[in-house]
Amino acid sequence: MSDEKYLSLGIIRETRSHWERRTPIVPDHVRKLVELGIKVYVQPSKLRIFPDEAYEEAGATVTEDLSVCGTILGVKQVSVASLLPQRTFCMFSHTIKAQPENMPLLDAVLERKVRLIDYEAIVEVSLDPSEGKLPGKRLVAFGRFAGLAGTITFLRGLGERLLALRYNTAFLHMGSAYMYPDLETAKDAVIRVGRMIEERGLPKELCPFIFAVTGNGRVSQGVQEILTLLPCMKVNVEDLATLSCSSVTEDMRRRIYYCVVTTEHMVTPVDSNMKFSKSDYYCNPSRYKPIFHEVVAPYVSVIVHGSYWDMSFCRLLTDNQLQSIVTLQSQQRKRKLIGICDITCDHEGAIESLKKFTSIEDPFYIYDPISKDCLDDLSSLPDRGILFHATDNLPAELAKESSEHFSNSLMSFLPKLATHVPNKSTELNFDDLPLELQRACIATNGKLTPHFSYISRLREIHEAKPSESQRFHRQVLLKGHLFDSRAINEALDIIEEEHCSFEILRWSIGQTRNMPSTLLLRLDANSEEQAELVMKKLEIVSVKDSNILKETSQTTLQVKDVYEKSHSCSPKVLVLGSGRVAAPLIDYLADKEGYELTIASNEPQAAIQLARNRPNIQTMYLTMEDMKVVKELIEHHDVVVSLLPSQFHANIARLCVEIGKHFVTASYVSAEIQKLDPTAKERNVMLVNEVGLDPGIDHMLAHKLIAHVRSQNGEIVSFHSWCGGLPAPQCAHSNPFLYKFSWSPKGVLVASQADAKFKKDGKLIQVSGKYLMTCARPVGSDVFPDVPLPLEVLPNRDSTLYIEEYQIPEAETVLRGTLRYEGFCQVMHGCTAVGLLETTKNDFLLRCVVGNVDQQHLREEARSLIASHWEYGRQLLEDHQLSDCQADKAMEALEWLGLFDGELCQLLKDTESPVDALATILENSVSTEKLSCNAYGYSNFK
């Protein structure tokens, strides 16, 4: 059947989108095919990047009728009506994930016995036995063109966004990639913009203008190909913090900067003694924690994301991380991050804030990190809005060059495909195809091929409804070459054989040796024992498949989350967090009859220790990076207690109000939670805040005493409320801070930098957090006569808020204070003065870690910084009753910490953030274990 008169190929017209102008075979290659004796038939199209006349000149026949062709090639999915029986069709079918919207097309393929070849699955096949049978890199891939088009178009978006922010920049003269006739013309436009930057510069407020490009694959190469057309300088990730804070010179205004962010800049091992390994991270992502939000995102103007990611990995940037970065930059009035170009287009994936895709005609929107809204107006939210660009068909914008690449990739296979002759009596096998096409053949002769037989199983999953009767749910993550090895079929068979059901929550399919597939499913069982049996059988499959795959990315199985959906009447309490403050609450509730507790934490071992095998407590692994999982967990509890860092409370509270579950936290009421109050009342949801010692018990005592004064017809002219949780005096002398941390050391350090405001003798006093420690004043021995150590008090945040709360407008003095043993504030002030409470190293700390600076000179400089910082704070306050500076105490503490040549100095060399290094020291040396603690409180009225 390979006689030349039968050799033919057809090119079908694209109908899915008017933006799809690409073609699988360009006219130049048509000419070569015709010279080989292959007839090429082309359906006419007014959209195609190459006109019909170009194909006719190359020797093709332009015709509506493709029935004479045995093989028909398109770009995107063809319509069911145009699917001719018993032909070979090549296209991006978008069926390999059993996408529901394309199942009618697959049904027609099977019914009409079409041989379907999907470009997405055409990969290298190695003949080297040592490499196994796993696929290599994709042969028909458009990553470079996505990178090129995405960057060109995003430069246009930058120009428009910056203009809306009242900046006229050279970027305004860029257009979207599709607006240029070809890539060369688009590049010329970028070069012209570069010349304008060199001549006029960029606004000083925006400089240094830094692009962070993730990954080093095809997408990243395409991005860099465009950026390097501008006047630019490539920098290392390690230099970002210093560069970002540098004084802006004229040279810096006349160029852009870019860095390439690879995996070691995205995550770091949880175990500080462990070295980073990309291969280990890919196999064991749970051993790593994210750092991109700390070492990259705060310092760059633009993030261009183009690296591989799957659901088992740490997110590049979570909603909460982006919110924190933008909020901090807004507070400091140092706006840096302007936009994010997510070329991977993974919805709520590596960039969790990607809430919607853009399109070629509407390529941009503004994202609000606070409300998580997407706004079309590019002038929206000038103080915090982030420009987003995330179009999932970017290569179509460079239709000419993409088509040429497309055609080059397919050219070697076309003569073989041309031998297919339409014949109803001949079966269309796939074993006569080249190996690369065999692996890409989804269906033939009315059946799915072995490599893609899993699609039918996935369809059943998509169409099945989860069982309501099964009460035990376990989330299971399968990762590896699930579909190549057919391990997925074995896994699903096991689940069904044990009469369990399942639901796919999320998944991605890897197509190469180095890109494993991941499948997150929810296993529904009737009992914990039944679920455990299934897990054991799945682990057997995992081990067996690992042996088959040998040195390649192995199939792995992990239990991600566990919780029981009980139908009992016992109240179910979800405790988020397993830190120091969690233990008393867990013990209290566990001893109460009738409570069922779930401890959810990103530190499973800590949660297990808190549970202590008590029958009414279960634990689970949870991070705040996947809010879908968090939401599902909240749905199965009655009350949620958030003991997480304060930045997470608002999002948890918002979910509780939305779902109708009560929310409790000991932290202050934030503005975001306050906004939820009306909706919470409407839905009968309690939002309980400020129920610790301070804030909490101090409020109740204050209200009680104020009510007592009112009942005696008294008038309050002065109000003092001091509170502090301190170690017992006999335990306080183990460190120069005279303190033990019963909660996060970093939280204490950050709180010590909070601004304060209070009323004194009718005058409003405001204190910058930077000088808060200089406000400390000694507490008279008559206040706490039984305390053997002297105490001091410092202002606690904004006391004036409580004038209305306590209904004491007549009070001339209103001061809420924090109690500490005398000397604490001197030590904390010393840490502040030398820069240890900052997120980046100042010049002094940089000299400390150099190693070749005279140590005595450094000590003298530190003493001078401490004294001058204290004196400046005193002058601002003009209060002669405050304590005098005691630099000796501060210097003793710095020596004890090892700032000049000890442990802290070494940590500062290895850690970018000084406050993180200090918190690490305090975590290990100044934390409570089992020791006596006292709470002191004092309220005074006149």
Side-chain angles (χ1 to χ4, degrees):
M1 304 298 287
S2 59
D3 194 294
E4 286 188 356
K5 65 180 180 179
Y6 294 110
L7 299 178
S8 65
L9 293 169
I11 302 176
I12 196 169
R13 179 171 52 242
E14 297 301 316
T15 58
R16 299 288 295 188
S17 167
H18 64 276
W19 289 107
E20 190 51 80
R21 300 177 295 149
R22 290 177 294 176
T23 177
I25 312 177
V26 298
D28 283 347
H29 286 155
V30 167
R31 182 175 290 105
K32 293 179 180 178
L33 292 170
V34 171
E35 291 173 355
L36 293 174
I38 299 171
K39 294 184 178 181
V40 181
Y41 299 86
V42 182
Q43 274 193 340
S45 171
K46 295 179 181 178
L47 289 175
R48 195 180 288 121
I49 189 65
F50 296 99
D52 295 340
E53 292 77 13
Y55 283 98
E56 288 178 324
E57 291 175 5
T61 301
V62 177
T63 176
E64 289 285 350
D65 184 11
L66 299 181
S67 61
V68 297
C69 303
T71 296
I72 299 171
L73 298 95
V75 179
K76 293 293 189 179
Q77 311 96 297
V78 303
S79 66
V80 171
S82 62
L83 199 65
L84 300 176
Q86 292 196 302
R87 304 300 199 281
T88 296
F89 273 83
C90 304
M91 67 183 92
F92 286 109
S93 70
H94 298 288
T95 60
I96 63 176
K97 294 183 183 180
Q99 292 95 317
E101 66 274 16
N102 292 320
M103 289 303 94
L105 173 62
L106 184 59
D107 288 338
V109 166
L110 297 173
E111 179 186 348
R112 301 176 193 181
K113 296 186 177 181
V114 167
R115 183 165 65 179
L116 175 61
I117 295 174
D118 196 304
Y119 302 128
E120 189 175 356
I122 301 178
V123 296
E124 285 182 340
V125 177
S126 174
L127 298 178
D128 184 350
S130 66
E131 295 189 7
K133 299 179 180 180
L134 295 177
K137 65 180 181 180
R138 285 176 56 182
L139 296 180
V140 184
F142 294 91
R144 171 176 172 258
F145 300 97
L148 292 167
T151 309
I152 292 168
T153 300
F154 192 71
L155 293 179
R156 169 199 166 187
L158 281 175
E160 295 182 14
R161 172 61 171 170
L162 292 174
L163 185 67
L165 298 180
R166 304 298 187 265
Y167 293 108
N168 179 25
T169 67
F171 298 128
L172 189 61
H173 301 281
M174 281 300 303
S176 288
Y178 77 86
M179 296 177 176
Y180 303 99
D182 52 38
L183 177 59
E184 184 179 356
T185 309
K187 285 185 172 182
D188 287 342
V190 177
I191 292 170
R192 286 196 299 273
V193 166
R195 291 190 187 123
M196 294 174 66
I197 292 174
E198 283 182 319
E199 293 169 3
R200 306 176 189 177
L202 293 169
K204 185 176 182 179
E205 300 89 333
L206 304 178
C207 295
F209 204 94
I210 308 171
F211 289 77
V213 184
T214 66
N216 50 19
R218 294 186 181 106
V219 174
S220 176
Q221 291 164 12
V223 174
Q224 295 177 63
E225 191 173 334
I226 297 302
L227 292 180
T228 52
L229 298 175
L230 299 170
C232 66
M233 177 181 289
K234 185 177 181 181
V235 296
N236 296 321
V237 170
E238 293 76 12
D239 299 327
L240 286 179
T242 303
L243 173 63
S244 178
C245 299
S246 301
S247 299
V248 178
T249 64
E250 277 302 305
D251 284 344
M252 294 169 72
R253 289 185 57 226
R254 299 177 190 278
R255 65 162 66 104
I256 61 109
Y257 297 82
Y258 79 95
C259 65
V260 176
V261 183
T262 50
T263 315
E264 64 267 29
H265 307 124
M266 302 175 189
V267 295
T268 193
V270 173
D271 183 351
S272 58
N273 296 319
M274 178 179 164
K275 290 186 177 181
F276 171 82
S277 164
K278 182 176 179 180
S279 59
D280 180 65
Y281 172 58
Y282 273 38
C283 292
N284 303 289
S286 62
R287 296 178 182 174
Y288 293 77
K289 62 181 180 180
I291 57 171
F292 179 87
H293 66 290
E294 298 173 342
V295 303
V296 178
Y299 308 114
V300 300
S301 313
V302 170
I303 297 169
V304 186
H305 176 49
S307 60
Y308 170 70
W309 181 86
D310 73 41
M311 73 190 75
S312 67
F313 291 172
C314 300
R315 281 198 165 96
L316 195 69
L317 201 58
T318 68
D319 286 343
N320 289 323
Q321 290 165 357
L322 180 60
Q323 183 182 112
S324 298
I325 290 168
V326 171
T327 300
L328 182 61
Q329 291 181 352
S330 179
Q331 291 172 349
Q332 296 177 342
R333 296 185 179 179
K334 293 181 180 179
R335 179 63 189 277
K336 190 66 183 174
L337 185 60
I338 297 170
I340 296 175
C341 176
D342 192 343
I343 297 174
T344 66
C345 289
D346 189 0
H347 184 262
E348 294 187 344
I351 307 287
E352 189 181 13
S353 301
L354 178 56
K355 307 299 181 184
K356 76 169 188 176
F357 297 141
T358 57
S359 62
I360 293 177
E361 57 265 44
D362 294 307
F364 314 111
Y365 63 83
I366 300 299
Y367 175 74
D368 183 352
I370 307 300
S371 68
K372 302 182 183 178
D373 293 330
C374 301
L375 310 171
D376 293 330
D377 184 358
L378 295 192
S379 64
S380 303
L381 304 173
D383 57 331
R384 66 173 186 265
I386 302 294
L387 176 72
F388 258 81
H389 174 51
T391 301
D392 62 359
N393 57 338
L394 284 170
E397 294 201 46
L398 295 172
K400 179 177 179 292
E401 289 75 18
S402 292
S403 295
E404 291 169 347
H405 169 74
F406 206 157
S407 192
N408 278 323
S409 302
L410 295 176
M411 189 60 185
S412 62
F413 304 120
L414 295 179
K416 181 62 179 179
L417 289 172
T419 62
H420 175 190
V421 178
N423 190 329
K424 294 183 179 181
S425 63
T426 303
E427 285 196 348
L428 293 173
N429 297 316
F430 72 101
D431 52 8
D432 62 339
L433 293 170
L435 288 176
E436 295 86 349
L437 298 187
Q438 288 183 30
R439 295 196 69 96
C441 185
I442 292 177
T444 189
N445 297 317
K447 298 178 182 179
L448 293 170
T449 59
H451 282 299
F452 295 95
S453 60
Y454 67 85
I455 292 178
S456 60
R457 303 298 302 279
L458 295 180
R459 292 187 67 176
E460 294 173 8
I461 297 168
H462 287 315
E463 295 164 4
K465 294 182 179 179
S467 171
E468 294 296 330
S469 62
Q470 292 171 314
R471 58 193 283 271
F472 193 86
H473 307 289
R474 175 172 287 189
Q475 290 188 6
V476 182
L477 181 68
L478 294 170
K479 181 175 180 180
H481 286 276
L482 308 175
F483 304 105
D484 306 297
S485 64
R486 304 180 200 170
I488 186 61
N489 287 330
E490 294 181 69
L492 300 185
D493 285 342
I494 288 171
I495 294 173
E496 290 186 345
E497 286 169 3
E498 296 302 324
H499 305 290
C500 296
S501 59
F502 51 89
E503 179 183 0
I504 291 181
L505 302 178
R506 190 166 181 171
W507 70 328
S508 62
I509 294 182
Q511 290 294 327
T512 71
R513 298 184 187 94
N514 299 320
M515 292 173 60
S517 298
T518 52
L519 177 66
L520 179 65
L521 58 84
R522 191 183 76 175
L523 172 66
D524 301 327
N526 292 312
S527 67
E528 183 173 1
E529 292 74 18
Q530 187 183 38
E532 286 296 333
L533 178 60
V534 171
M535 291 302 299
K536 288 179 181 178
K537 291 189 175 183
L538 289 175
E539 287 166 359
I540 292 172
V541 171
S542 175
V543 172
K544 176 170 69 71
D545 287 326
S546 295
N547 291 334
I548 292 172
L549 299 177
K550 296 183 180 177
E551 299 302 319
T552 60
S553 298
Q554 298 180 355
T555 303
T556 59
L557 182 147
Q558 305 167 0
V559 178
K560 185 172 182 181
D561 298 326
V562 182
Y563 63 88
E564 182 171 351
K565 182 180 179 181
S566 172
H567 293 287
S568 70
C569 297
S570 301
K572 291 176 282 295
V573 180
L574 171 63
V575 179
L576 297 175
S578 59
R580 294 184 182 85
V581 295
L585 173 67
I586 298 298
D587 290 341
Y588 176 81
L589 292 177
D591 292 339
K592 292 278 187 180
E593 289 186 7
Y595 284 94
E596 295 179 9
L597 275 67
T598 301
I599 308 172
S601 171
N602 65 349
E603 296 182 0
Q605 284 305 119
I608 290 170
Q609 290 175 5
L610 287 174
R612 301 207 310 269
N613 294 320
R614 285 174 279 193
N616 60 337
I617 305 179
Q618 52 189 328
T619 64
M620 61 175 289
Y621 174 79
L622 182 72
T623 72
M624 291 299 105
E625 295 182 355
D626 194 337
M627 296 308 289
K628 180 179 178 181
V629 174
V630 175
K631 182 177 180 181
E632 184 178 0
L633 185 59
I634 291 173
E635 288 174 344
H636 293 88
H637 292 80
D638 302 306
V639 178
V640 178
V641 182
S642 179
L643 301 179
L644 300 168
S646 59
Q647 65 264 30
F648 296 113
H649 294 329
N651 284 336
I652 299 298
R654 188 179 297 110
L655 283 176
C656 287
V657 172
E658 177 186 329
I659 299 168
K661 306 294 182 178
H662 302 305
F663 170 84
V664 181
T665 181
S667 298
Y668 284 94
V669 178
S670 66
E672 292 86 354
I673 291 181
Q674 186 67 53
K675 291 177 183 177
L676 298 172
D677 186 55
T679 308
K681 289 177 178 176
E682 290 175 6
R683 299 185 180 183
N684 200 29
V685 172
M686 288 188 290
L687 299 177
V688 183
N689 299 258
E690 301 188 4
V691 287
L693 171 63
D694 174 9
I697 293 175
D698 62 334
H699 290 331
M700 292 188 283
L701 291 174
H703 278 290
K704 180 180 179 180
L705 290 172
I706 291 170
H708 176 71
V709 172
R710 301 284 193 215
S711 70
Q712 302 297 316
N713 297 318
E715 181 180 4
I716 298 171
V717 295
S718 177
F719 172 85
H720 292 262
S721 177
W722 304 341
C723 186
L726 301 173
Q730 65 269 23
C731 301
H733 287 289
S734 62
N735 64 82
F737 291 79
L738 302 176
Y739 189 73
K740 292 285 185 177
F741 292 92
S742 60
W743 55 300
S744 164
K746 186 174 181 180
V748 176
L749 296 175
V750 172
S752 72
Q753 296 284 283
D755 295 344
K757 184 192 296 186
F758 58 93
K759 188 178 179 183
K760 182 183 179 185
D761 299 329
K763 183 180 178 182
L764 185 65
I765 309 294
Q766 299 189 66
V767 182
S768 166
K770 190 173 183 180
Y771 300 99
L772 181 66
M773 293 299 128
T774 64
C775 293
R777 65 179 66 221
V779 175
S781 59
D782 59 323
V783 178
F784 295 107
D786 296 329
V787 179
L789 293 179
L791 296 169
E792 59 189 8
V793 63
L794 64 153
N796 183 5
R797 301 180 186 258
D798 188 352
S799 298
T800 63
L801 296 174
Y802 297 90
I803 296 175
E804 181 179 354
E805 173 69 23
Y806 296 159
Q807 298 181 15
I808 51 173
E810 70 274 25
E812 291 293 308
T813 296
V814 179
L815 173 63
R816 295 179 72 248
T818 299
L819 290 168
R820 293 289 182 260
Y821 287 127
E822 191 172 87
F824 174 89
C825 293
Q826 296 278 357
V827 171
M828 289 296 292
H829 163 258
C831 294
T832 303
V834 299
L836 286 175
L837 271 63
E838 303 295 330
T839 56
T840 56
K841 300 184 187 77
N842 60 19
D843 290 342
F844 170 74
L845 292 180
L846 289 172
R847 287 194 292 277
C848 285
V849 300
V850 167
N852 58 357
V853 179
D854 181 69
Q855 295 293 307
Q856 186 59 35
H857 177 75
L858 285 175
R859 288 175 169 85
E860 292 171 359
E861 184 178 357
R863 184 179 291 273
S864 175
L865 287 171
I866 292 167
S868 61
H869 191 271
W870 186 276
E871 186 59 29
Y872 186 71
R874 287 286 300 274
Q875 290 175 4
L876 289 177
L877 293 168
E878 299 179 347
D879 189 335
H880 300 292
Q881 298 180 19
L882 299 177
S883 304
D884 293 324
C885 178
Q886 299 178 34
D888 286 344
K889 286 187 177 181
M891 289 300 297
E892 287 174 13
L894 297 180
E895 296 282 2
W896 182 85
L897 289 166
L899 172 61
F900 303 104
D901 56 1
E903 185 178 1
L904 180 56
C905 181
Q906 186 58 46
L907 270 176
L908 286 169
K909 293 178 181 179
D910 302 331
T911 307
E912 179 59 37
S913 168
V915 71
D916 286 337
L918 179 58
T920 300
I921 295 284
L922 299 179
E923 178 80 30
N924 298 330
S925 306
V926 196
S927 296
T928 57
E929 294 179 357
K930 289 195 174 180
L931 50 80
S932 299
C933 289
N934 294 339
Y936 298 110
Y938 168 79
S939 293
N940 175 265
F941 301 86
K942 292 181 181 177

